[in-house]
Amino acid sequence: MTEVSSLTGRLLVAAPALADPNFDRAVVLLLDHDEEGSLGVVLNRPTPVGVGDILASWAGLAGEPDVVFQGGPVSLDSALGVALIPGDEGAAVGSRLHPRGGGPSAEEGAPLGWRRVHGAICLVDLDAPPELLAAELGSLRIFAGYAGWGPGQLETELKDGAWYVVESEPGDVSSPRPENLWRAVLRRQRSELAMIATYPDDPSLN
C-alpha cells in the first residue's frame, strides 16, 4: 500500500479554522484516496428529506435518522449508499468509485450489489434490488452528493492544517446523533486533538 492510497477508510475532521462553509465542523469518510484524487462523504450533514421520499425501496434498510445526508458539494443529484457489513474484511476491495456512474463497479468474485471500503464499511449499489442485500446489510445511510479533491489537492490541504486525519469506526457511519459527531470523534482521540472537541462554536465567546 502506498502512502497516497493509505487514507481510504479514514476520517477527515475539519479543523476549527477551516473557512469553507461546505466543510464547517465536517467529518468526512474517505471512500477513495489515490494518485487520481480523493472522494468522500460528509457524515454529519443530515437533511430534512426522508430516504423514503427519494428512494422508497431502500427506506426500510436506512438507519436512524432515516433521512438523506448531504455528502458534499459535488453532484448533489447523485446518490451514494454507505452501509455496514460485518465479516471477512478481505472481501470485495479495490475498485475505484465512480459516483456519477451509479454504484461501485463490480469485480470478479465480489458480492453482488456492494463492495467493501474499509473494515465493516461498504458501498452499496443503489441500482441493485434491496431485497438482494437486506440479509447482509447493517445500517444503511444515503448521501446526496460527495466531496471531491483532484490529484494532490487534499495533500495540500492537509499540509495547510485544514483537516485532522483519524481512524474511522463503524459507529461513525451509523451514528444516531450525527450533529454530535465532530466533537465525539475528536473527544475519543488519545492526543491533543481531544482538547479541540471543547472548541466553542463561536470563538469570540471563548
Side-chain angles (χ1 to χ4, degrees):
M1 179 181 291
T2 66
E3 184 179 352
V4 171
S5 64
S6 65
L7 297 185
T8 297
R10 292 190 178 180
L11 297 179
L12 299 177
V13 181
L18 182 58
D20 187 340
N22 288 310
F23 297 112
D24 181 45
R25 302 293 174 103
V27 178
V28 178
L29 172 66
L30 280 177
L31 302 174
D32 276 315
H33 178 239
D34 57 26
E35 65 279 355
E36 296 178 33
S38 308
L39 184 149
V41 289
V42 180
L43 297 179
N44 56 337
R45 292 282 193 275
T47 75
V49 180
V51 173
D53 295 334
I54 62 166
L55 290 170
S57 61
W58 290 97
L61 297 176
E64 293 294 330
D66 56 349
V67 297
V68 176
F69 282 64
Q70 184 173 334
V74 183
S75 293
L76 290 171
D77 57 347
S78 68
L80 292 174
V82 179
L84 302 178
I85 294 185
D88 179 13
E89 295 188 7
V93 296
S95 63
R96 184 167 179 84
L97 175 67
H98 297 283
R100 276 168 281 198
S105 55
E107 291 187 20
E108 185 177 353
L112 185 63
W114 61 271
R115 79 163 170 88
R116 198 176 298 278
V117 173
H118 175 78
I121 300 168
C122 75
L123 277 161
V124 177
D125 182 356
L126 297 176
D127 292 328
E131 58 273 15
L132 188 71
L133 301 174
E136 294 186 82
L137 282 185
S139 182
L140 171 69
R141 193 144 281 177
I142 302 296
F143 297 90
Y146 61 91
W149 292 264
Q153 187 180 359
L154 179 58
E155 285 75 12
T156 298
E157 293 185 13
L158 292 175
K159 289 176 184 175
D160 291 342
W163 302 96
Y164 309 119
V165 179
V166 302
E167 295 297 327
S168 64
E169 296 183 0
D172 298 331
V173 175
S174 59
S175 172
R177 300 186 65 187
E179 66 278 2
N180 295 336
L181 195 59
W182 187 84
R183 293 188 189 280
V185 169
L186 288 172
R187 195 176 292 124
R188 73 178 185 234
Q189 304 307 312
R190 296 182 178 179
S191 66
E192 64 274 9
L193 290 184
M195 293 296 296
I196 296 172
T198 63
Y199 198 87
D201 293 330
D202 183 351
S204 66
L205 300 178
N206 193 9

